[in-house]
Amino acid sequence: MSTATSPLPKVIAIDGPTASGKGTVASLVAAQLGYHYLDSGAIYRVLAVASEHAALDVAKPEHQDALVKLAWSLPVEFVGDRVVLQGLDVSAAIRTEEAGLHASKLAVVPDIRAGLLQRQRDFRKAPGLVADGRDMGSVVFPDASLKVFLTASAQVRAERRVRQIEGRGQKADFQAIHADLVARDERDMQRAVAPLKPYPDSRVLDCSDMGIEQVVQTIIGWAQSV
């Protein structure tokens, strides 16, 4: 007698470059659909903060083994809108520009990516998941029912990032942020493992001239048609 297996919960994968708005959009789509939400970039940022706490440097070869071990055992939890590392709320710490830069460097190390892969897949639970990142549809959830590549011009993304930083009461240098975004794009697109790019089964959505609600409703419409 054969036993029927339950289908895996649906996944909506939203990938795209830094500051394209995919995190905000993904969380809103998840909320409206009643799905779980995974901010994959946060996991890499948490690892960046954890590595700093452990005095580990991705640029030092002698630290590589310890960084990989930390990736495989990273004690991260998502509690509501809080990100918790070993009981410590690091929600603010992981959103700094420094954490983002270190996370981008960690993300190009294959063994570190492998260590965090299963952690991300564990977020797939009923009734469904909206996951945002750079390789959600290509590597982490290749069987996602909907794959979106959300992008915007570097100019627009830098302007958004400046508003975001200034909204936290911090100073922001547009030229430096713009240059950093361009450099991150280049690094993410050229890396050997899971390079950032839209795949043949992705729906590309350029949101340079779109409001958040318009983007959210576009993706929900796509989700409901698959």
Side-chain angles (χ1 to χ4, degrees):
M1 178 183 294
S2 62
T3 302
T5 57
S6 300
L8 289 171
K10 285 187 175 182
V11 173
I12 298 173
I14 303 179
D15 292 312
T18 298
S20 60
K22 58 187 180 294
T24 299
V25 168
S27 63
L28 290 171
V29 170
Q32 291 196 29
L33 293 176
Y35 280 14
H36 298 282
Y37 168 56
L38 165 62
D39 176 356
S40 71
I43 293 181
Y44 284 93
R45 285 172 175 265
V46 171
L47 180 60
V49 172
S51 64
E52 182 180 358
H53 289 178
L56 298 173
D57 188 342
V58 70
K60 295 183 177 180
E62 64 269 25
H63 289 179
Q64 288 292 304
D65 288 346
L67 282 165
V68 171
K69 183 177 179 180
L70 181 60
W72 280 90
S73 61
L74 189 66
V76 58
E77 294 180 278
F78 293 88
V79 183
D81 60 355
R82 295 187 303 123
V83 184
V84 180
L85 173 65
Q86 286 186 315
L88 178 66
D89 188 338
V90 294
S91 305
I94 67 170
R95 296 305 174 189
T96 65
E97 290 299 299
E98 182 181 17
L101 179 60
H102 289 169
S104 181
K105 292 178 179 178
L106 289 165
V108 303
V109 181
D111 287 344
I112 287 176
R113 297 188 69 85
L116 295 179
L117 180 59
Q118 189 56 48
R119 291 303 182 94
Q120 296 172 77
R121 288 177 171 165
D122 288 341
F123 281 83
R124 186 177 196 167
K125 299 176 183 177
L129 174 70
V130 181
D132 82 73
R134 289 173 173 76
D135 62 354
M136 294 298 96
S138 59
V139 175
V140 184
F141 301 107
D143 62 339
S145 57
L146 173 63
K147 301 178 184 181
V148 178
F149 189 85
L150 187 65
T151 189
S153 69
Q155 174 80 19
V156 168
R157 289 186 286 129
E159 290 171 354
R160 291 174 179 171
R161 180 54 59 86
V162 166
R163 288 195 296 270
Q164 184 182 56
I165 294 171
E166 291 179 342
R168 297 197 294 260
Q170 302 171 351
K171 292 184 178 181
D173 183 333
F174 173 82
Q175 294 299 333
I177 290 172
H178 184 274
D180 180 54
L181 287 177
V182 172
R184 288 196 204 185
D185 287 350
E186 181 68 16
R187 185 164 58 245
D188 289 341
M189 289 186 292
Q190 296 300 323
R191 68 189 182 203
V193 179
L196 174 67
K197 65 179 180 179
Y199 282 78
D201 55 349
S202 299
R203 299 196 187 193
V204 178
L205 182 57
D206 188 325
C207 64
S208 298
D209 300 315
M210 299 174 69
I212 290 177
E213 187 58 28
Q214 184 181 1
V215 176
V216 169
Q217 293 307 316
T218 297
I219 294 174
I220 287 177
W222 287 347
Q224 293 172 339
S225 68
V226 296

